[in-house]
Amino acid sequence: MAAERNTDIVVVGGGAAGFMSALAAAESGAKVIIADKAKRPLMKLRISGKGRCNLTNNCTDEEFFDNIFRGAKFLRSAESRFGPAEIMSFFEGLGVPLKTERGRRVFPVSDKASDVAEALIRESERFGIMILGTEVRKVLTDGKEVTGVETSAGRIRCRAVVLATGGRSYPGTGSTGDGYRMARELGHTVTDTFPALVSLRCREDWCSEAEGLSLRNVVLTCSEGKKTLFSEMGEMLFTKDGISGPLALTLSSVIAGRDLSKLRTAVDLKPSLDRDMLDKRVLRDMNSMSNKEFKNSLGDLLPKSLIPVIVRLSGIMPEKKVNSITSEERSRLVDLLKKLPLTICGDGGWNEAIVTAGGIDTKEIDPRTMESKLVKGLYLAGEILDADGATGGYNLTIAFSTGHTAGTAAAKRIMEGDKPAPAADRAGTKDTMNAIAIDGPAGAGKSSIAKRLARELGYIYVDTGALYRAIGLSAIRSGIDVHDRAAVIGLLAGIDVDLAYVDGEQKVLLCGEDVSGEIRTEPVSMAASAVSALPEVREFLLDLQRELARKNNVVMDGRDIGTVVLPDAGCKIFLTASPEERAMRRYKELRDKGMDAVYEAVLEDLKKRDYDDSHREIAPLRLADDGIEVDTTEMDLEESVNAVLKIAKERLGI
Ligand code: DC
């Protein structure tokens, strides 16, 4: 039995949409795990907007939808709930001051995308969202509804999954398109995907001569047959094999998936002058420099690197004197300036694409909730959807807006309890009435008494401290600092802790290795105490403990058995003794084992552990409301066992 986790919602993908959905769900009260195979979450967000993160666009609804290429209708509902205004106040609320720049683009005042990423991570920590560096391989269902996910480190049971794995763009940041496969396995249609907001390659060799040249206020036009697909004024850039810059990126999204051989593309270098006016202007220029050679006459009209290109394309002899240029030749020149042809033959590919065009067919998704119409409890958000927009913060707006909608709806599904919780979640609340929970500080005699009790009653004894010790040992072996939360969380993703019973004896298995002996040292005790204060560690071990109690009659000892693990246990004992007495017992135990112990040091360690265990924020050591305290300071083992046995029999009616 591997440690199987349990939660309300698993968000697959730790990007912008994933984090927003996790936060929205957690804020609504759901227990959330984000699983992402990438070592570091929010990688793409961190490099977005050239590292400045253009997180939304401060625009009206109408302007927003004017800038959406695919999925505008589908996005209406989500955008109206959580659109640019809400996104801005959300981040301001997280302590990230924002500013609006040209084109209504919104950035953090600090110009640091990492501030946006860190704010999201901080907020997730505040809500206790667990971030697992684990690959999700499959979404599990019972045919109709989500029941969990299969990860590289075991299963996680849950009642809702948000698939927010991103698209195919920037594979270097972890976007590999796994989500499409998982959605397809669940019956979803994935439309063809294409790189979008990407540079374009052109057949014209001369592009390389103009490489690096940026043109402002030009008009780029693209048509297919008689239909104009795109015609916008703005900025574009020549690259060694084509064009880039805002106009080219936008054009790439417009033509994504089209047959490039049918497109006609051209740049108007002088859009402020119509053909006639430009002709007059060229004529005037020529008259004023009639003795110059043609190649030297274009300095006022064109940027330097474009002059040889235009001269060549015009077919006019470069050395020809301007005053001998024919009107037909001039007309050819004017045509070129108004309509410099480009033949698009490809794009910069996934490594360069800012976003993905195409994805999960939005017809199969409820636009009000982002829930799949095919599988209940499955939600889809962000770039995985067949929805995309222009540069300027529109795509992050789509991610935040659909993420927020999905997270809120998923939490609502959980909170409204439209389905009883999966079996493991009910463990500890229904099926564990026979269990005996023994909590108390170290050295109170829990394990000796619990073992005897188990033998007398035919129960199995579960020493939960051993589980925390196994994680403590694993941390020591890996050389990580047990107080470094992120490191411990990272450790959890790669380990497996389990219990086995051999001749009635409990064995602790760390990744299959029996570590029952090795966990009984003082350094491991201290490490166990430290890691046990982390919610992620407690969560990691919770299902295993509950599962054992559900399947067996157990005497389970620990610190939070009666309060957290088995709140419905029929008998809850809180065993205690004075610190001095407990230290003396531990000291004698160590001496008996031939270890070199000093009483004062044992007492000091024990007091520190007492303090830590009862003052930690999560599941602190305390007497359960319906627990019974048994003080064994003045009792020997036999007396203690009898006292506890009497209570257990009374409580359980056995
Ligand atoms: O019972 P023990 O000394 O073997 O436990 C080792 C540590 O694990 C102890 O410092 C507290 C922690 N622990 C816990 O937090 N919750 C439990 N149920 C059991 C142990």
Side-chain angles (χ1 to χ4, degrees):
M1 184 185 5
E4 190 178 84
R5 289 167 207 267
N6 203 351
T7 191
D8 289 334
I9 301 173
V10 173
V11 174
V12 188
F19 266 82
M20 188 56 87
S21 62
L23 288 172
E27 194 173 11
S28 303
K31 213 161 75 176
V32 186
I33 292 178
I34 298 178
D36 192 320
K37 66 181 173 204
K39 282 202 192 73
R40 214 165 158 218
L42 294 164
M43 275 309 283
K44 196 172 157 191
L45 186 95
R46 287 174 203 273
I47 58 164
S48 72
K50 300 199 171 77
R52 295 204 301 136
C53 190
N54 176 193
L55 51 89
T56 190
N57 192 287
N58 194 353
C59 61
T60 63
D61 288 350
E62 212 172 307
E63 287 162 340
F64 178 79
F65 291 108
D66 282 349
N67 282 282
I68 299 301
F69 300 125
R70 277 154 286 258
K73 203 164 149 230
F74 170 77
L75 294 170
R76 286 232 169 239
S77 172
E79 196 271 346
S80 71
R81 281 159 223 243
F82 199 77
E86 288 77 17
I87 293 169
M88 287 166 68
S89 50
F90 174 84
F91 282 102
E92 298 261 8
L94 293 192
V96 183
L98 304 175
K99 60 179 172 180
T100 300
E101 294 190 356
R102 193 164 56 89
R104 306 175 305 254
R105 289 162 192 248
V106 178
F107 292 91
V109 170
S110 66
D111 282 329
K112 282 193 199 142
S114 56
D115 285 357
V116 179
E118 296 311 324
L120 287 169
I121 291 171
R122 258 198 326 272
E123 187 69 350
S124 310
E125 280 170 3
R126 199 169 71 80
F127 276 112
I129 294 171
M130 189 192 276
I131 304 170
L132 287 182
T134 305
E135 180 184 358
V136 172
R137 297 187 172 145
K138 198 174 175 181
V139 177
L140 305 169
T141 73
D142 61 6
K144 279 199 204 125
E145 304 190 25
V146 161
T147 56
V149 293
E150 181 92 49
T151 79
S152 49
R155 286 189 172 189
I156 308 177
R157 279 169 177 270
C158 61
R159 293 178 42 210
V161 166
V162 181
L163 260 192
T165 46
R168 288 191 212 278
S169 53
Y170 284 134
T173 61
S175 306
T176 50
D178 291 349
Y180 300 131
R181 176 188 48 76
M182 288 190 268
R184 211 181 267 124
E185 283 168 6
L186 296 169
H188 276 280
T189 311
V190 183
T191 66
D192 289 343
T193 53
F194 301 94
L197 295 183
V198 65
S199 66
L200 291 168
R201 282 191 292 112
C202 300
R203 261 195 229 300
E204 286 70 19
D205 288 341
W206 58 259
C207 286
S208 61
E209 286 175 62
E211 184 183 352
L213 171 67
S214 171
L215 298 174
R216 282 181 175 224
N217 301 324
V218 294
V219 170
L220 182 64
T221 301
C222 179
S223 49
E224 190 179 47
K226 288 209 173 84
K227 195 171 160 209
T228 303
L229 298 176
F230 179 81
S231 184
E232 270 185 30
M233 183 186 285
E235 198 173 329
M236 64 176 269
L237 180 77
F238 287 99
T239 65
K240 70 172 189 320
D241 57 2
I243 53 173
S244 188
L247 282 179
L249 297 191
T250 310
L251 175 60
S252 76
S253 289
V254 172
I255 62 173
R258 289 188 182 263
D259 180 351
L260 299 181
S261 68
K262 294 203 172 121
L263 305 181
R264 297 278 163 273
T265 308
V267 189
D268 182 348
L269 297 167
K270 297 287 163 197
S272 57
L273 304 174
D274 66 21
R275 201 188 174 289
D276 232 28
M277 285 158 76
L278 181 62
D279 188 45
K280 285 194 181 105
R281 154 90 194 269
V282 171
L283 187 61
R284 205 176 58 226
D285 283 4
M286 286 182 169
N287 286 338
S288 69
M289 49 182 110
S290 53
N291 269 327
K292 276 199 174 172
E293 289 180 352
F294 174 54
K295 65 176 184 194
N296 298 326
S297 71
L298 298 170
D300 288 346
L301 268 179
L302 289 169
K304 214 161 145 212
S305 57
L306 221 47
I307 294 175
V309 175
I310 297 292
V311 167
R312 204 163 60 244
L313 294 176
S314 71
I316 305 170
M317 291 293 292
E319 284 78 28
K320 192 163 188 173
K321 286 280 187 286
V322 168
N323 58 12
S324 56
I325 289 176
T326 65
S327 63
E328 197 201 331
E329 284 173 329
R330 195 181 73 238
S331 173
R332 274 210 312 270
L333 173 66
V334 171
D335 280 347
L336 263 184
L337 297 176
K338 285 300 283 178
K339 233 177 174 184
L340 177 63
L342 286 167
T343 316
I344 297 169
C345 60
D347 59 53
W350 292 116
N351 280 329
E352 265 190 32
I354 294 176
V355 77
T356 307
I360 312 286
D361 193 335
T362 52
K363 285 202 287 296
E364 299 164 350
I365 301 163
D366 183 339
R368 292 160 306 169
T369 57
M370 298 295 139
E371 188 173 21
S372 158
K373 291 180 184 169
L374 312 178
V375 182
K376 291 278 150 246
L378 176 70
Y379 297 79
L380 299 111
E383 201 178 327
I384 191 171
L385 299 167
D386 181 10
D388 64 297
T391 53
Y394 298 100
N395 288 296
L396 270 175
T397 304
I398 295 176
F400 290 136
S401 170
T402 56
H404 194 273
T405 303
T408 309
K412 191 155 176 258
R413 173 184 161 79
I414 308 291
M415 297 303 151
E416 284 179 358
D418 51 352
K419 176 179 177 271
D425 206 33
R426 281 186 273 128
T429 56
K430 281 208 180 72
D431 309 329
T432 56
M433 308 286 279
N434 287 332
I436 300 172
I438 302 189
D439 292 306
K446 291 190 303 289
S447 64
S448 325
I449 294 170
K451 265 185 214 162
R452 283 283 303 276
L453 216 59
R455 206 172 338 127
E456 299 278 340
L457 299 173
Y459 276 32
I460 71 160
Y461 164 56
V462 183
D463 163 16
T464 62
L467 299 171
Y468 291 91
R469 287 173 178 270
I471 294 177
L473 173 67
S474 174
I476 292 173
R477 282 183 178 176
S478 317
I480 62 167
D481 174 1
V482 288
H483 299 284
D484 179 345
R485 181 172 176 187
V488 176
I489 293 171
L491 182 82
L492 293 179
I495 62 170
D496 196 23
V497 176
D498 208 352
L499 292 180
Y501 288 84
V502 180
D503 299 332
E505 274 280 298
Q506 173 183 294
K507 300 281 174 213
V508 193
L509 305 178
L510 174 61
C511 301
E513 177 194 349
D514 181 357
V515 292
S516 313
E518 216 178 318
I519 57 173
R520 300 289 161 197
T521 64
E522 272 315 287
V524 175
S525 297
M526 299 312 278
S529 179
V531 297
S532 71
L534 298 176
E536 289 80 5
V537 170
R538 308 203 71 82
E539 173 75 30
F540 182 79
L541 296 173
L542 193 58
D543 293 339
L544 173 60
Q545 298 171 73
R546 286 184 173 171
E547 189 84 352
L548 280 165
R550 211 164 52 82
K551 292 197 173 146
N552 309 281
N553 283 331
V554 292
V555 181
M556 188 176 277
D557 78 2
R559 303 294 188 284
D560 62 340
I561 309 305
T563 51
V564 175
V565 180
L566 307 175
D568 269 12
C571 174
K572 297 179 187 174
I573 307 282
F574 190 84
L575 265 192
T576 184
S578 71
E580 291 72 20
E581 172 62 23
R582 290 187 284 124
M584 184 52 75
R585 290 178 191 169
R586 182 59 40 112
Y587 168 74
K588 282 184 183 155
E589 200 180 290
L590 293 170
R591 279 291 167 123
D592 286 350
K593 283 187 193 159
M595 290 185 194
D596 197 16
V598 178
Y599 171 78
E600 283 71 22
V602 174
L603 178 62
E604 200 176 309
D605 273 3
L606 184 130
K607 282 187 172 165
K608 173 162 182 357
R609 257 199 319 144
D610 277 2
Y611 183 87
D612 290 346
D613 292 348
S614 52
H615 284 78
R616 65 185 175 213
E617 240 167 70
I618 180 157
L621 173 64
R622 67 172 178 84
L623 172 66
D625 294 339
D626 50 350
I628 297 179
E629 183 169 315
V630 177
D631 188 330
T632 66
T633 310
E634 306 290 337
M635 296 183 200
D636 64 16
L637 181 63
E638 222 39 51
E639 288 167 335
S640 309
V641 170
N642 287 335
V644 173
L645 196 57
K646 189 161 168 274
I647 297 168
K649 284 184 172 171
E650 272 170 24
R651 287 264 160 156
L652 299 176
I654 49 179

